[in-house]
Amino acid sequence: SFFNALKLGLKVELDSDRWEYSEEPHVSRRREILAKYPQIKQLMGSDPWIAVIVTCEVAVQLGFCHVIRVTQPNWAVLLLVAYAVGATLNHSLGSAIHEIGHNLAFGHKRPWANRLLAIFCNLPIAIPMAISYKKYHTDHHRWLGHEDNDVDIPTKTEARLFRHPLTKLLWLCAHPFIHGLRPFIKSPKPTTPWELFNFTVCMTFDLSIYVLFGWKSLCYLIVGTLFGFGPHPLAGHFISEHYLFSGGQSTHSYYGPLNVLLFNVGYHIEHHDFPYIPYRRLPEVRRIAGEYYNSLPHHTSWLRVLWDFITKDQLGPHARGVNNSNCTRPELYEAVQKDMARRIELVATSNREKSKAYELDS
């Protein structure tokens, strides 16, 4: 059943009770759809065209930095441009980082090329996040709905504090900080060399913008990021994807025009069913296997999503489907775990035999 999630709010209210739901829907749905429509496998692969699009977006952002340096607009105009243009482009680049994080630009055989392109997208965003996002987003797919391991799920503190419309609005405004810091608090991982490289490149770019274009241009980029991932219509996709708008349905798609700006991130059920199909081919998945998607509740307006999230009592950070078991882990990870355990045991057995042989020789 696709309707199987329980709210984080219920977990908060019944904290002493043990509970779980027993199925992550995307794994079984993927298997069933592929058995019925094996041609969907042909849609999997990479799509380097995204590199052309993000290069144009980065160039446009640099162009606006130049215009701001020349015109020196007042702060009111700067904030308006940052909200209308900077936020839109930076959020689009953020969605490109999501797409590239699945190695969908240059394929799984060129992970370094995908990482470099993601860091390139990260430049106008001005806050280093591309590599860290990929690291934690992998857990979101692997542990979808797991209360602890899926860092996309709000914490219990968020679920308790942000229940009133005003506090939910505050939560949305602070979302860039909350969403960015939550993974490091909820499930900290060692910093990787790629993350350090991402940080160094991003800080160097920020310094270069300041030196070449001035303080206002740098503010345009940073404020655009804070607007774009906070109180902005495009940020509605953060809410629309996994909050429980329809009973216990734990994933929703959005089929509206703003998908054009965000690399079809709205096709979210399709994306979780087939995370290795590039964004341009996700509508084809829905066309081929329409009986699996057309009847499911979906969104057509991210503005409506944000309005409902703020005004309706049943919605808020607490309205996420969660579980506390390992049921969301695909069989692949079980197989890998068993294979690694087998390999470790073989090595350990070999070492023990060598040790015994050495002792006998001695």
Side-chain angles (χ1 to χ4, degrees):
S1 169
F2 202 72
F3 301 89
N4 57 3
L6 295 174
K7 283 188 180 181
L8 174 62
L10 181 62
K11 173 67 174 175
V12 171
E13 294 168 6
L14 306 176
D15 195 43
S16 60
D17 293 345
R18 291 183 56 81
W19 58 272
E20 62 187 43
Y21 67 86
S22 59
E23 179 191 13
E24 193 277 298
H26 299 287
V27 176
S28 56
R29 284 159 49 80
R30 180 188 310 123
R31 187 186 303 114
E32 185 177 339
I33 291 173
L34 285 177
K36 189 173 183 179
Y37 300 107
Q39 65 267 36
I40 287 180
K41 292 180 181 179
Q42 303 303 316
L43 301 176
M44 298 178 184
S46 58
D47 185 359
W49 179 252
I50 192 174
V52 176
I53 299 174
V54 299
T55 299
C56 293
E57 291 183 329
V58 171
V60 170
Q61 286 291 67
L62 290 175
F64 269 89
C65 287
H66 173 71
V67 170
I68 290 169
R69 181 185 70 84
V70 172
T71 61
Q72 289 297 307
N74 61 50
W75 284 102
V77 173
L78 181 68
L79 291 176
L80 180 62
V81 174
Y83 189 88
V85 180
T88 301
L89 288 172
N90 278 359
H91 199 124
S92 180
L93 288 167
S95 293
I97 288 173
H98 164 260
E99 180 80 3
I100 298 163
H102 285 277
N103 292 327
L104 294 176
F106 302 114
H108 296 290
K109 293 182 179 180
R110 298 180 180 84
W112 58 270
N114 289 288
R115 289 190 179 101
L116 289 176
L117 182 61
I119 292 172
F120 178 69
C121 294
N122 197 166
L123 296 180
I125 295 174
I127 300 170
M129 48 77 69
I131 302 301
S132 297
Y133 174 82
K134 171 181 171 56
K135 180 171 69 175
Y136 286 104
H137 186 69
T138 299
D139 284 349
H140 169 61
H141 277 265
R142 179 180 178 181
W143 301 98
L144 179 63
H146 193 286
E147 183 182 355
D148 299 316
N149 296 341
D150 182 356
V151 296
D152 191 57
I153 293 178
T155 62
K156 291 181 182 178
T157 301
E158 294 172 66
R160 290 189 180 100
L161 291 180
F162 302 100
R163 293 293 190 100
H164 188 275
L166 289 178
T167 59
K168 286 190 282 186
L169 179 60
L170 176 63
W171 185 86
L172 287 173
C173 292
H175 187 260
F177 303 101
I178 295 173
H179 192 73
L181 295 175
R182 187 193 297 135
F184 300 99
I185 297 171
K186 198 172 182 181
S187 181
K189 296 182 178 183
T191 301
T192 67
W194 272 103
E195 285 178 287
L196 294 176
F197 179 67
N198 187 179
F199 178 85
T200 302
V201 170
C202 198
M203 291 299 100
T204 302
F205 177 82
D206 291 351
L207 180 61
S208 300
I209 291 294
Y210 173 74
V211 171
L212 296 174
F213 299 109
W215 176 248
K216 284 189 174 181
S217 294
L218 181 58
C219 285
Y220 160 78
L221 295 178
I222 296 174
V223 172
T225 296
L226 297 180
F227 278 152
F229 292 88
H232 194 274
L234 294 181
H237 86 83
F238 289 122
I239 309 301
S240 70
E241 292 169 355
H242 296 294
Y243 284 82
L244 302 182
F245 284 81
S246 306
Q249 183 174 324
S250 57
T251 308
H252 288 78
S253 285
Y254 157 83
Y255 302 126
L258 295 181
N259 272 320
V260 174
L261 297 174
L262 298 191
F263 300 95
N264 281 338
V265 73
Y267 285 81
H268 214 67
I269 296 177
E270 294 86 343
H271 169 65
H272 271 271
D273 284 352
F274 301 99
Y276 299 127
I277 292 181
Y279 75 99
R280 288 202 296 168
R281 302 172 197 164
L282 287 176
E284 183 68 6
V285 173
R286 187 189 180 205
R287 188 193 67 79
I288 293 173
E291 69 269 29
Y292 288 91
Y293 301 108
N294 294 337
S295 61
L296 292 175
H298 60 270
H299 301 289
T300 56
S301 169
W302 279 330
L303 276 175
R304 178 62 183 271
V305 164
L306 291 174
W307 176 258
D308 288 345
F309 182 81
I310 293 170
T311 59
K312 292 187 176 181
D313 292 339
Q314 68 268 31
L315 294 174
H318 61 283
R320 282 294 296 263
V322 294
N323 74 84
N324 54 6
S325 71
N326 292 344
C327 64
T328 63
R329 187 166 51 193
E331 294 84 350
L332 170 65
Y333 295 95
E334 296 280 5
V336 169
Q337 238 183 8
K338 290 177 181 178
D339 182 61
M340 289 300 296
R342 182 182 62 82
R343 291 170 184 267
I344 292 170
E345 180 59 29
L346 288 174
V347 172
T349 301
S350 176
N351 289 339
R352 285 195 296 267
E353 291 175 351
K354 289 179 181 178
S355 178
K356 289 179 181 179
Y358 177 79
E359 290 174 359
L360 291 173
D361 290 341
S362 299

